[in-house]
Amino acid sequence: MTAASIKGSGQALASGLFSGFAVLTLVGIAGQFVLAGMSIFGAADAWGLHGLFGGLVSLPVLAMLCLTFWAPALRVLRREAGILTAVYLVQLVLAGLRSDFPMIAALHPLNALIMADVAMGIAKTRFSVAQS
C-alpha cells in the first residue's frame, strides 16, 4: 500500500464520517424538539433528557468542524461547520440564561430552528457533493 493510497483512504474515511455526523446532528436536533414537546405535554423527566442529549449534540457538531480542518476535501464546508458550532454555542448560552434572563432565554427554540436549518444545509450540500 502506497502513501498516496493510505492518504486517499483517510480522506475517504473523513468524508464518510462527516456525512454520518451531519445526519447524526439532524437526528439529534429533531430528537431535541421531541423531548421538549414531551416535557411541555407532561413527561416531566424529559427536560433532563433534553439537557443530556443537548450536550451530546456537541459531539457530531465539533467533530464536523474538526474534520473540515483535517480533510482538504471538506474545506469547502468549514464556514458552514463553523457557523453551526457558533449557533450551538449560542444555544448553550441561551439555555444558561433561563433563570436570570428568561426573556432572552426564550429565544432558545428559535435558535434551535436556526441550528436545524444550518445543519440541514450542511447535510444537503454534503450529499449533493457526494453524488456529483
Side-chain angles (χ1 to χ4, degrees), residues 5-101:
S5 66
I6 292 172
K7 184 177 180 181
S9 298
Q11 296 297 316
L13 176 63
S15 184
L17 283 171
F18 188 94
S19 298
F21 288 140
V23 170
L24 194 57
T25 300
L26 284 171
V27 169
I29 293 168
Q32 286 296 87
F33 278 104
V34 170
L35 288 170
M38 287 172 57
S39 298
I40 291 168
F41 293 107
D45 60 343
W47 280 127
L49 290 173
H50 179 79
L52 173 69
F53 285 110
L56 291 175
V57 169
S58 70
L59 299 175
V61 169
L62 294 173
M64 284 190 293
L65 182 63
C66 290
L67 284 170
T68 64
F69 285 96
W70 184 74
L74 296 172
R75 188 175 299 147
V76 297
L77 293 166
R78 187 177 297 161
R79 178 177 168 264
E80 288 80 5
I83 291 170
L84 181 62
T85 302
V87 174
Y88 176 79
L89 293 173
V90 168
Q91 191 71 342
L92 293 178
V93 169
L94 290 171
L97 293 175
R98 71 180 170 269
S99 299
D100 298 327
F101 300 98

